[in-house]
Amino acid sequence: MEILVKVTNNEVYKKIINNTLRNLSKGAKISEAFQGQWAFPVVAYEMLVTGENTGQLGLMMEKVAEHYQVLHKNVVDQLKSLIEPLMICFLAVIVGGIVLSIVVPMFSIYGQIQ
């Protein structure tokens, strides 16, 4: 936990981890420091409590990490699927503008020749 405080740049999480260190030095559970914190999701808190109670805290934290990685991947995939059509339309407008800037002067030159 001390290494984690040094590594993180987020002040909110530093405060929570320092609070956890104080609780651990008093002999309290890790979950008590995370209880009611807005920055720590309820699902993660419940899994933390379950991991402490079953003695498999490391395994449970791995499951929490996997869960949030899947959620993050799903959000990124949804954003990609929303942005792709917009990018295609944007590129179509750009390419259409380039084509028109080439074709319109050609037709005006052909019109002057006849």
Side-chain angles (χ1 to χ4, degrees):
M1 289 290 223
E2 291 172 353
I3 295 171
L4 197 57
V5 169
K6 293 175 185 174
V7 171
T8 187
N9 292 329
N10 192 323
E11 293 298 323
V12 174
Y13 287 112
K14 278 185 181 181
K15 180 182 172 188
I16 293 171
I17 294 168
N18 282 328
N19 194 13
T20 304
L21 286 171
R22 279 193 297 275
N23 285 358
L24 285 174
S25 66
K26 294 176 186 176
K29 292 182 175 184
I30 293 174
S31 60
E32 290 177 11
F34 290 97
Q35 185 176 14
Q37 296 290 334
W38 65 270
F40 201 73
V42 176
V43 174
Y45 171 74
E46 294 297 329
M47 292 179 82
L48 175 70
V49 171
T50 303
E52 277 185 332
N53 292 339
T54 60
Q56 297 182 349
L57 184 60
L59 179 64
M60 196 58 72
M61 289 294 98
E62 286 179 19
K63 288 184 180 183
V64 169
E66 289 172 10
H67 172 72
Y68 283 103
Q69 283 177 345
V70 167
L71 284 179
H72 181 263
K73 183 182 178 303
N74 290 340
V75 168
V76 169
D77 288 343
Q78 287 175 350
L79 283 174
K80 278 185 359 186
S81 68
L82 289 174
I83 291 174
E84 282 176 358
L86 295 174
M87 289 297 293
I88 290 170
C89 291
F90 176 73
L91 289 174
V93 168
I94 297 292
V95 170
I98 292 171
V99 168
L100 282 176
S101 68
I102 293 171
V103 171
V104 169
M106 285 175 47
F107 283 133
S108 68
I109 292 172
Y110 291 144
Q112 290 175 0
I113 292 174
Q114 292 177 356

